[in-house]
Every structure is written in structure tokens, then in C-alpha cells.
Amino acid sequence: MLRSILDNDFYKFTMQNAVVKLFPNAYTRYAFINRGKHRFPPGFAVRLREAVDAMAGLQLTSDERLFLEEMCPYLDPTYHDFLQGFRYNPLEVQIEQDGEDLSVTIEGLWYRTILWEVPLMTLISQIWYEMADEKRDDDDTVVARTRQKIEHYGHLGVRIAEFGTRRRHSYEVHDLVVGALKRYGGSTFTGTSNVHMAHRHNVKPLGTHAHEWFMFHAARFGFKMANTLALEHWVEVYRGDLGIALSDTFTTQIFFDSFDKMFAKLFDGIRHDSGDAIDFARTTIEHYQRLGIDPRSKTIIFSDALDTEKVENITRFCEGRIGMSFGIGTNFTNDVGLKPMNMVIKMTETRPEGRQWLPVVKLSDIREKNTGDPEMITLARRILSLPS
């Protein structure tokens, strides 16, 4: 069902490159979390297994490699060689179904397993809608709705990226949406997180790192040092490129305790992914000001469940105070007249450098988004002096 090894979010490849260089011996485990309590029909696991097994045949083409070389010069030739030789190993993915409940787990070397999360979610979503056999809006309606949104954002004068791979309705809808964004978006549309769609439509692939980068560092180096070392290692690999830092893996409060003047100057900005966006913007502006940095020289990438109303409210607050850009996901790629799925796949454990397996956690600004072992979450909050 997947047509390209690049049908994945860009930050998976940028993180993979960093993991290959810095943590080649680390192992990880991931698990599917059914936040929406979806009920899976008989035979779903079989369909998913078939799609996962077929991924073993995906490989980077010469044309795709040339695209990466031209668009992403900070990915060096050794990584391009690595990716060209990379093949998915379906044995790393375990899929089980018990009645209407679905279990999906992943285990293996981190530099390999890191690529599974987004394609698996994409497949789960697409197979779910196919088996539900519910009629979506027609292509013309999807394109018209996308055009209306991007032209509205253009009138607001903001920059918009498409971040909707993991919960897209289908490949076909995703392709329609990115095509419409390019056709009607002009300078408003900055690119897509999906590298295959970026290649297909000749736009920029966008992304830096995800929560798992920080989650691993917490297990490897401790909660107190996680943010600092995760940022330092990112700078070590990318030397100033890919300079947007994710802020909420262990709450924004803890992030800003580590985001000192050096990091604030080194990184171009910060990505917001949970909690109240206006409160986050206010806190970020004040943080830069305390450090003697003009917030208008920095950017916040807002990416938490955005729609047109949220973008308007954020724009009104941030305009003239700090740079801003928006990554919109499901509201682009699964706005087709059906209810989107609510699910995630998260890293659950890691075995860094030959050590024992250790649970990893995420402490979002919204507690409902916390993931991981409850006892480890309690321990993390205690170590970080966060309310229990």
C-alpha cells in the first residue's frame, strides 16, 4: 500500500541520521496506543500484516536520492548511501488482534525501528477507512476545501506547512491535498513533512526531531540532563541546520529551564505541540526577552491540532511580537466528512549501549498526552520537581 520508502515524516530521517552517528548500538521498543478506543473489524490484523510485509520491497530510488541531495545538503553522502541500502524488516513488527482490540509493537535497533512509526499509523488509518466502507467526500470537494483553507491563511499573511501523514485518510487524499496546497498556496505554503509528497510535488520537506529524541536521552542520561544533551547532540550533528527545537517532552517549564542563552541563540525557534498556544507564545516571548534576545528574530512553529480558528487567534496574539509558522496535519489530510482516528505509536522502552531495558516516558503539557509506565512518570515528575 505504500509506494515509496520516503512516504514518511522528514524528522524520522533526520533523527535516523543522528542515531546512526551517535547511538548505533541502542535498541528500542514502540507500541500502538488506541486513544480513540477504536474497534477493529475481523481480519484487520491480517490486512495490516500483509501491508507491513510488503514494505520489505521498498527502497530508495536514484531519483529520490538526487532529490534529497539537492534539497537537504546537511544530510551527508554517508547517510544517503546508508538509506539507499536500507530495507524494512517486517520481523521487527508484531501485530495481534483479540476480538476488536489491536496490538502493534516494534522492537529492534533504534536506527532501524525509528522509521516504522509513521508508516504504520498511515497504514492503520487507511485500512480502517477501507474496511469501514464509509464514503468520503469526493475529490473535487477535498480540493476545494483545501483551496479555501490555504487562501484564507494567505489572507492572514501566515506561513503554512502540511504535517498530516500519520492520520491521513488515505494516500489519494494526501496527494490531492498537497497538490492543491502547491497550486493555490503560493508563498503561504512552505512545504510538507512527508518526504515522498515533497519529492512528488517538488516542494520542501520540513521537520527536525520528535519527542522520542528527548525520551531516549532521558533514559540514557537522566531526566535532569535530557533536554540539554538532546539539544547539544542535535547541534553536534547538524551544526546550525534544522534549528527548530521541540519543547514539551517533559513539559515546557522544564524545557525552558535548559534552553539557556546559548541554545536560544543557536536554535532558530521552538515548536509548540501541546497546551494552550497563547500561553506558550507569551512564555516564549518572555523567555527570549529575559535572555536579551529580540523575539521577532525567532520563530514558533505551532503544530497542535490546528484549524483555521486556532490559527487566527494565534496570529492575532503573535503578530509583531515573534515570528510564527504553522504545521497543520489532520485538518488537511483527513477533513473528508468522516471522523478522524485518534491514535499514536510511541517509544516505550530503550536499551542504550548494551544496558538493561529502561522504560521511557513523555510528560506533555496536557496530561492526557502523557505516555509511558505510570511509575516512571511519577518518578520523572518527582525528579523534575513537577506537581504529582
Side-chain angles (χ1 to χ4, degrees):
M1 292 176 65
L2 294 185
R3 309 182 187 189
S4 167
I5 200 169
L6 296 185
D7 193 357
N8 205 330
D9 278 343
F10 186 50
Y11 66 23
K12 285 296 182 173
F13 299 105
T14 57
M15 287 191 297
Q16 184 185 52
N17 176 49
V19 172
V20 167
K21 289 176 168 54
L22 301 180
F23 307 109
N25 298 312
Y27 281 76
T28 51
R29 291 171 175 158
Y30 299 77
F32 169 70
I33 302 171
N34 185 7
R35 285 178 173 168
K37 309 297 182 186
H38 304 289
R39 297 178 179 180
F40 293 89
F44 188 93
V46 174
R47 287 278 305 276
L48 181 59
R49 180 79 261 170
E50 291 171 350
V52 167
D53 289 346
M55 290 175 64
L58 297 174
Q59 58 185 296
L60 190 72
T61 68
S62 298
D63 190 50
E64 288 172 333
R65 174 170 177 155
L66 180 62
F67 173 78
L68 290 176
E69 289 173 344
E70 292 177 347
M71 297 293 285
C72 315
Y74 38 78
L75 295 174
D76 57 46
T78 58
Y79 178 69
H80 294 138
D81 286 343
F82 165 82
L83 189 59
Q84 195 154 30
F86 181 88
R87 301 292 183 274
Y88 281 106
N89 179 4
L91 295 177
E92 294 166 347
V93 181
Q94 301 301 312
I95 304 169
E96 296 179 1
Q97 185 169 356
D98 182 7
E100 295 178 325
D101 295 327
L102 180 71
S103 170
V104 181
T105 57
I106 308 157
E107 180 178 330
L109 285 159
W110 190 20
Y111 75 82
R112 295 190 50 81
T113 56
I114 198 168
L115 290 190
W116 279 112
E117 174 195 348
V118 176
L120 277 172
M121 291 180 64
T122 294
L123 290 172
I124 290 169
S125 183
Q126 180 153 340
I127 294 170
W128 164 266
Y129 289 109
E130 287 178 356
M131 296 186 75
D133 197 26
E134 295 178 319
K135 186 174 177 60
R136 68 166 173 88
D137 294 333
D138 61 41
D139 291 358
D140 289 343
T141 301
V142 171
V143 169
R145 186 177 292 132
T146 304
R147 177 180 182 177
Q148 181 181 35
K149 290 175 185 176
I150 197 64
E151 289 181 346
H152 178 72
Y153 293 134
H155 292 317
L156 291 177
V158 298
R159 296 176 298 166
I160 300 291
E162 182 275 308
F163 280 10
T165 302
R166 61 190 57 217
R167 298 182 189 90
R168 71 189 184 193
H169 173 274
S170 59
Y171 177 92
E172 290 73 21
V173 167
H174 198 173
D175 190 43
L176 283 171
V177 165
V178 176
L181 290 171
K182 182 181 180 182
R183 189 178 312 121
Y184 302 113
S187 60
T188 302
F189 179 51
T190 59
T192 172
S193 65
N194 186 289
V195 189
H196 168 63
M197 291 296 173
H199 175 230
R200 180 169 166 76
H201 295 277
N202 194 29
V203 297
K204 189 175 180 179
L206 299 171
T208 53
H209 47 240
H211 296 106
E212 67 181 285
W213 181 249
F214 296 84
M215 292 162 72
F216 170 85
H217 279 77
R220 176 67 179 84
F221 302 104
F223 291 108
K224 288 281 191 182
M225 294 301 297
N227 283 322
T228 297
L229 289 176
L231 294 174
E232 284 185 0
H233 285 145
W234 197 256
V235 172
E236 179 183 339
V237 173
Y238 288 109
R239 315 300 298 176
D241 284 312
L242 302 177
I244 299 294
L246 181 60
S247 61
D248 70 330
T249 309
F250 305 109
T251 75
T252 296
Q253 171 191 333
I254 297 301
F255 174 83
F256 279 125
D257 288 344
S258 301
F259 200 65
D260 60 13
K261 193 167 189 174
M262 179 187 76
F263 287 132
K265 286 195 169 186
L266 281 173
F267 282 83
D268 301 320
I270 302 171
R271 180 160 74 92
H272 167 262
D273 196 51
S274 67
D276 184 90
I278 303 301
D279 288 345
F280 178 84
R282 184 181 294 108
T283 299
T284 303
I285 291 168
E286 291 172 353
H287 185 75
Y288 281 127
Q289 289 172 336
R290 279 195 301 272
L291 296 175
I293 297 171
D294 185 351
R296 293 171 297 180
S297 69
K298 299 295 180 178
T299 298
I300 300 175
I301 308 293
F302 295 93
S303 61
D304 181 27
L306 296 175
D307 55 28
T308 52
E309 182 180 356
K310 290 179 181 178
V311 171
E312 285 185 18
N313 292 337
I314 294 167
T315 301
R316 280 195 293 268
F317 180 84
C318 291
E319 197 164 20
R321 299 180 180 182
I322 192 167
M324 59 185 150
S325 186
F326 300 87
I328 298 178
T330 307
N331 189 250
F332 272 146
T333 61
N334 206 343
D335 186 9
V336 295
L338 303 173
K339 186 176 180 180
M341 295 190 75
N342 184 6
M343 58 171 175
V344 293
I345 291 177
K346 289 293 182 184
M347 183 190 290
T348 57
E349 295 176 88
T350 185
R351 195 179 79 200
E353 305 300 324
R355 291 169 171 78
Q356 65 183 10
W357 284 100
L358 298 169
V360 298
V361 300
K362 174 188 169 215
L363 307 179
S364 172
D365 288 332
I366 300 295
R367 294 210 179 196
E368 291 76 13
K369 285 190 171 185
N370 288 353
T371 62
D373 178 74
E375 291 185 6
M376 187 59 74
I377 289 175
T378 299
L379 176 62
R381 300 190 76 87
R382 188 183 308 129
I383 290 172
L384 296 171
S385 301
L386 293 168
S388 59

